[in-house]
Amino acid sequence: AKSPSLSPPLPLSQRSRWAPPTLPTEPSLYDGPFPFYRRPAEEGRFSLDAQRRYHPDARQLRYFAPPPAEHPDPAFDLRHGYRDRYVRRDESEREGLEHLLQWVAGNRDRLRAQGDAAGRPVNADFVTWRGHLTKVLTTPYESQEGWLLAVSLFRGTLYVSEVETPAARQQREQRSDMLQELAYMGYKFERYMCADTPDGSPDPTGVVNTNEAFCTVVRTRLGSHSLLFAGEVDCMDPRGAWPEAPACYVELKTCKELHSPAQRKSFYRHKLIKWWAQSFLPGVSRIVAGFRAPDGSVAALETFETMKIFQLIRGDRGCWKPAVCMNFCEAFLAFLKRVVTEDDPQLVHLFAWEPGSPVSYTRHQGAEHVFLPAWYVETMSG
Ligand code: A3P
Ligand code: MG
Ligand code: MG
């Protein structure tokens, strides 16, 4: 039988052209109650050594060993070693999800044994890096840097992997010596604040090697989305109030010294949002900041409890809201589920966002943007 609603074809010029859906990012659209976010549970750990080699263990975990006072004495010299004791990771090497996938593949029997109603080899809706989610969380308030996220659906799980934007690449390749030294100072701060053993003391004379990393793999849930993600962690506090991982981890940060209430307000508005998002996602309970003086010393230390940051910003009406960040992230993940429905590791949807625009996407079949390695697809198909 013929469908009664079938209308004669319109001339091409009058047909409404199908436009792929987009996702708006205005904060006001996401200003509701804080969504459900399950307390993150650590599923595993891995390390990257001085040569950037993967190890399925915690050998690179370091231990929080702060000085006894808020004003370090003797003073930290964050510039020390920049010229001669700095081994820099090759950032032109795009690693994608590689190390995280190594962890997943190495734990596939355990992940499978966790059981999944949908029969998936990985019992999670999303697998990604924490850093990618941090960028999603801060999107409603970001006015400087856009992002590109590649997404593939493989055996029931959505994999999300960042693609460097042309602007980010240009910035990285043309980074001034001053900015490079600033980045070094962030790493150097870690050397002054951490020891290699739980009872050790920091040894700030050593080489700073940014190939080294310790990563935690956590499992959590945001609304209806189950997440498995990995994030680099600076250290754990062996004497802290929260002995269990991931709450025992401490994030270290540096920031220019604040001299006025206006500077502090600006720091809360623009910088603390990133610090909060980075640590809140994996359940890291504390952020310890070192405030830099112009001579490269640390003028003061300050501890921020991740769960109390919302209290600091509550009084400022023009400030960011944690609920907006989380509601947007939940909406973005739902958007990915709606758009990426074909299970095919060779199919990549590239989600793009620039400040002032909604999130949009393009579809790419085969070659160029494929990011799930053949070895991974093979291992997880067996
Ligand atoms: P700060 O944290 O003091 O900024 P993380 O804080 O995530 O542990 O990163 C450690 C340090 O790496 C940072 O110190 C910063 O110096 C450097 N770093 C991290 N991300 C960077 C980026 N996108 N560009 C330049 N440097 C970066
Ligand atoms: Mg770090
Ligand atoms: Mg840090």
Side-chain angles (χ1 to χ4, degrees), residues 190 234 251-253:
E190 299 173 359
D234 292 335
E251 172 61 44
L252 301 169
K253 287 283 176 204

Side-chain angles (χ1 to χ4, degrees), residues 49-127:
D49 68 16
Q51 283 83 42
R52 203 69 180 168
R53 286 178 308 216
Y54 172 91
H55 300 276
D57 55 46
R59 69 182 64 190
Q60 295 292 347
L61 175 60
R62 308 184 77 241
Y63 300 87
F64 187 54
E70 269 184 17
H71 303 274
D73 181 29
F76 298 166
D77 178 6
L78 299 182
R79 294 209 174 101
H80 179 256
Y82 173 57
R83 300 273 167 216
D84 58 328
R85 306 184 78 72
Y86 188 17
V87 178
R88 214 172 327 166
R89 175 170 76 86
D90 177 5
E91 288 178 63
S92 64
E93 191 78 55
R94 303 316 295 174
E95 299 174 329
L97 299 182
E98 187 83 15
H99 298 123
L100 170 55
L101 298 181
Q102 264 177 282
W103 181 88
V104 173
N107 289 273
R108 62 188 180 280
D109 292 341
R110 197 160 57 85
L111 289 170
R112 207 183 291 265
Q114 286 173 345
D116 181 68
R120 302 178 293 188
V122 179
N123 178 19
D125 298 343
F126 293 92
V127 167

